[in-house]
Amino acid sequence: MKNIRLAMPSLKDARMRKKKEIPTIYYQMEEKYRKLGVGKTYAVFTYGCQGNEADSEVMAGILEEMGYETAQDPMTADVVILNTCAIRENAEQRIWGVLGQLKGKKRENPDMIIGIAGCMPQEEKTTHKILESYDFIDLVFGTHNKDHLPKLLYQAYMTKAKVVEVLSEEGNILEKAPKKREFHHKAWVNIMYGCDEFCTYCIVPYTRGKERSRKKEDILKEVEELVLKGYQEITLLGQNVNAYGKDLQTGYTFGDLLYDLDRTGIKRIRFTTSHPKDLDEKTIRAMRDCPSVMPHLHLPVQSGDNEILRKMNRKYTVEEYMEKIRLLKESVPGISLTTDIIVGFPNETEEQFQRTLDLVDRVQFEGAFTFIYSKREGTPASLLEDEITEEEKHQRLYRLNEKVNAGYLKGHQRFLGQVVEVLVDGFSKNGDGMMCGYTPHLKLTHFKAQNPDLIGTVVSVKITEAKTWFMIGELCE
Ligand code: SAH
Ligand code: SF4
Ligand code: F3S
């Protein structure tokens, strides 16, 4: 298959942080692309973080503006796009597996267009591998140019070649792009893109580029429009939301944004992810003062050992982290705290791992995403020699998860007998006549009901049972 290489990725270029102004562009689709998808179907598969989920909503919005319709069976759509994640080796393995299945489908329907987007193509090794051995992939693009999708699709149709456009320098800030939101009552709202932290294990600063914040006016406007449409909840997105606004140098911070968003009338505000180093008092005050800011915080700690934190380039100590936790608990009584933890960072000792276990006990997390360290090519940590065996790493993950799971259960048990407010998402997956949604503390709650009118409303539920992964309750009349 012929290749059209508009731009190829470079991790080295992606590392650069040039001083330049990031222009905001207002999306508009060229007329010639508008009818390209009429009579055809599409599917977007999403992997990875909420940032990718939000990007997929934009891709779906763009495809629908081109005339494409959602496919009943995503595996046989006319255009299939995989929006990928490169955070860990196993995330990538899953995606190669799905690509293998799609290869078979394309044999049955040779006109199918298969595209790979998101974080994986930003890695040189992935894009080279696709060019060398994945002939059935038609489109390769990254995280900075999803707005080019119509142009790239058009070229793929016209030339029957593999079209590659992966930019290593961060893109513009895209406003007014069409979005096909998954829900009608809760929405993702990006407040910034990229990451400047360079934690030594992490690929994100390379795949997402320099930190850049959206203008506050654009964010407020988007949320005001969501309120008018009846949305109840927003989740503000960024790799380090507490760094919001630093690049704009106006002195307006994330805390200020929370206070302003509270006044828009949106019922529930959540945000992810916070970096412990940048979580400031104003943000904590906003969590205390603003009724719409929910009493849950995800604050990734990664490790409970100062030496490991230093090697990870996290820029805080365990003591500093604990001080923020103290302030959070004091300011927002009953707050639910969750975190991310990596075990088996190169040469982590048993004592160092024990300190992580101790920290989990001290904070009393009510949930955590736990990971075994995965080596990412191009990151500083990937150069470290590592002596820990795979078995030891799995053992540590197991021991950590035992503790973390007990925390999940305790976090649910504390609501037994209480009436909680649940924003209803829909019918429970197992189809047993239950509906479900989340409480302010982000506890998944199931209750008996069969009424589709409840979706998107807040109902009162009395909690009768606490499990590890969810709570069960009765709807209050
Ligand atoms: N920006 C967020 C998280 C982004 S990635 C933050 O800093 O908190 C989500 C989580 O994946 C991280 O918090 C970390 O725990 C984990 N992670 C990132 N890189 C990893 C790697 N190379 N191996 C294992 N886990 C990793
Ligand atoms: Fe990765 Fe660290 Fe940035 Fe989070 S803050 S995305 S872990 S580099
Ligand atoms: Fe994955 Fe990229 Fe998000 S690597 S976690 S999809 S920023």
Side-chain angles (χ1 to χ4, degrees):
M1 196 181 193
K2 211 171 63 177
N3 293 321
I4 299 183
R5 301 186 190 193
L6 299 171
M8 291 289 285
S10 151
L11 289 176
K12 199 163 141 260
D13 292 349
R15 208 190 147 75
M16 310 253 247
R17 292 293 184 263
K18 290 189 205 124
K19 268 217 156 72
K20 63 159 196 181
E21 199 145 312
I22 306 284
T24 297
I25 54 161
Y26 293 86
Y27 184 83
Q28 234 184 346
M29 185 174 295
E30 277 183 52
E31 269 319 306
K32 69 174 174 190
Y33 302 137
R34 275 190 192 278
K35 299 253 159 55
L36 207 63
V38 174
K40 298 196 187 88
T41 60
Y42 79 92
V44 181
F45 289 75
T46 310
Y47 303 88
C49 62
Q50 292 95 337
N52 255 15
E53 291 189 27
D55 284 351
S56 287
E57 291 183 348
V58 172
M59 290 184 217
I62 291 175
L63 288 165
E64 296 208 348
E65 210 170 290
M66 295 173 75
Y68 290 97
E69 286 173 32
T70 38
Q72 294 291 337
D73 172 8
M75 293 298 279
T76 60
D78 296 309
V79 172
V80 178
I81 291 175
L82 266 56
N83 191 11
T84 63
C85 172
I87 199 84
R88 284 170 292 274
E89 185 67 33
N90 54 7
E92 296 200 353
Q93 286 310 337
R94 255 177 66 212
I95 292 164
W96 292 116
V98 176
L99 279 169
Q101 290 171 345
L102 283 168
K103 184 180 183 180
K105 298 285 176 192
K106 186 152 177 170
R107 241 181 255 128
E108 292 161 27
N109 173 14
D111 290 333
M112 185 180 211
I113 298 264
I114 300 178
I116 177 161
C119 285
M120 271 170 75
Q122 296 289 147
E123 300 175 295
E124 287 156 19
K125 64 166 194 221
T126 307
T127 297
H128 287 130
K129 182 167 164 180
I130 292 169
L131 283 168
E132 277 154 30
S133 12
Y134 285 74
D135 231 13
F136 60 95
I137 296 180
D138 306 274
L139 271 184
V140 186
F141 60 104
T143 56
H144 300 305
N145 55 345
K146 53 188 182 293
D147 54 317
H148 292 180
L149 180 54
K151 172 190 88 177
L152 301 175
L153 260 174
Y154 184 78
Q155 290 198 343
Y157 280 124
M158 291 302 156
T159 60
K160 304 262 182 257
K162 189 195 294 296
V163 181
V164 183
E165 188 185 56
V166 185
L167 309 176
S168 295
E169 200 174 328
E170 61 285 343
N172 305 316
I173 290 191
L174 183 64
E175 293 293 345
K176 297 272 170 219
K179 287 187 189 131
K180 188 176 184 221
R181 299 202 190 257
E182 189 185 344
F183 292 103
H184 297 291
H185 60 278
K186 56 181 193 181
W188 307 119
V189 175
N190 283 109
I191 61 168
M192 60 196 300
Y193 302 95
C195 181
D196 285 350
E197 288 304 325
F198 290 99
C199 302
T200 54
Y201 50 81
C202 185
I203 195 75
V204 173
Y206 307 83
T207 64
R208 295 273 171 177
K210 184 170 121 166
E211 231 161 62
R212 49 221 192 268
S213 303
R214 282 177 73 193
K215 292 194 194 104
K216 93 176 211 223
E217 295 77 21
D218 289 327
I219 300 170
L220 286 169
K221 197 142 187 262
E222 180 175 356
V223 175
E224 280 157 10
E225 283 170 13
L226 288 167
V227 172
L228 284 177
K229 286 185 189 151
Y231 277 79
Q232 306 282 316
E233 177 176 301
I234 52 168
T235 302
L236 308 174
L237 297 182
Q239 290 301 340
N240 174 6
V241 289
N242 301 101
Y244 171 77
K246 287 193 176 165
D247 54 322
L248 300 176
Q249 295 183 332
T250 55
Y252 185 88
T253 65
F254 182 63
D256 296 317
L257 182 66
L258 287 178
Y259 279 102
D260 280 344
L261 286 169
D262 182 57
R263 285 190 280 268
T264 60
I266 191 82
K267 291 259 176 52
R268 291 182 167 196
I269 301 175
R270 303 186 184 279
F271 51 88
T272 196
T273 308
S274 283
H275 193 300
K277 161 180 72 81
D278 291 321
L279 174 69
D280 60 2
E281 287 191 18
K282 193 166 215 174
T283 302
I284 298 176
R285 275 205 303 277
M287 295 188 77
R288 178 195 68 193
D289 296 345
C290 303
S292 64
V293 180
M294 292 289 105
H296 163 249
L297 184 69
H298 186 69
L299 194 62
V301 68
Q302 313 300 359
S303 166
D305 180 75
N306 283 334
E307 180 63 15
I308 295 281
L309 286 173
R310 195 182 59 74
K311 288 185 179 163
M312 287 177 162
N313 192 30
R314 289 291 289 181
K315 306 181 197 106
Y316 54 82
T317 61
V318 170
E319 293 70 29
E320 285 160 351
Y321 185 86
M322 287 309 296
E323 175 53 23
K324 300 219 168 157
I325 295 290
R326 191 195 61 74
L327 196 58
L328 281 159
K329 288 188 173 178
E330 180 187 285
S331 310
V332 187
I335 189 172
S336 159
L337 295 164
T338 57
T339 197
D340 290 350
I341 296 169
I342 298 177
V343 303
F345 186 80
N347 298 320
E348 177 192 58
T349 64
E350 171 61 26
E351 292 72 45
Q352 290 174 322
F353 171 64
Q354 279 289 346
R355 288 192 195 107
T356 298
L357 292 180
D358 289 348
L359 180 119
V360 172
D361 280 337
R362 281 159 67 203
V363 179
Q364 299 268 306
F365 290 114
E366 297 190 346
F369 297 124
T370 56
F371 311 102
I372 291 180
Y373 165 77
S374 170
K375 191 172 177 162
R376 303 285 71 204
E377 208 174 298
T379 61
S382 71
L383 304 173
L384 299 172
E385 298 281 337
D386 183 19
E387 310 265 299
I388 323 170
T389 63
E390 280 306 306
E391 198 197 328
E392 181 61 38
K393 290 180 195 170
H394 281 94
Q395 279 286 338
R396 284 184 195 167
L397 184 69
Y398 181 84
R399 286 159 64 201
L400 174 62
N401 283 345
E402 295 265 282
K403 236 184 223 316
V404 164
N405 295 351
Y408 272 103
L409 181 62
K410 262 177 118 173
H412 291 140
Q413 282 168 335
R414 71 176 166 116
F415 291 99
L416 274 172
Q418 290 186 28
V419 173
V420 293
E421 307 235 290
V422 177
L423 173 58
V424 184
D425 280 340
F427 294 96
S428 305
K429 290 234 164 65
N430 47 11
D432 50 5
M434 307 283 272
M435 296 185 78
C436 63
Y438 287 88
T439 69
H441 295 84
L442 202 66
K443 308 290 179 193
L444 175 60
T445 306
H446 296 271
F447 55 94
K448 205 166 221 56
Q450 288 273 35
N451 181 359
D453 292 343
L454 294 181
I455 297 173
T457 67
V458 175
V459 298
S460 298
V461 174
K462 184 165 186 193
I463 300 304
T464 54
E465 258 185 89
K467 307 272 192 195
T468 300
W469 308 121
F470 56 86
M471 315 194 286
I472 300 176
E474 283 160 9
L475 193 60
C476 303
E477 295 305 329

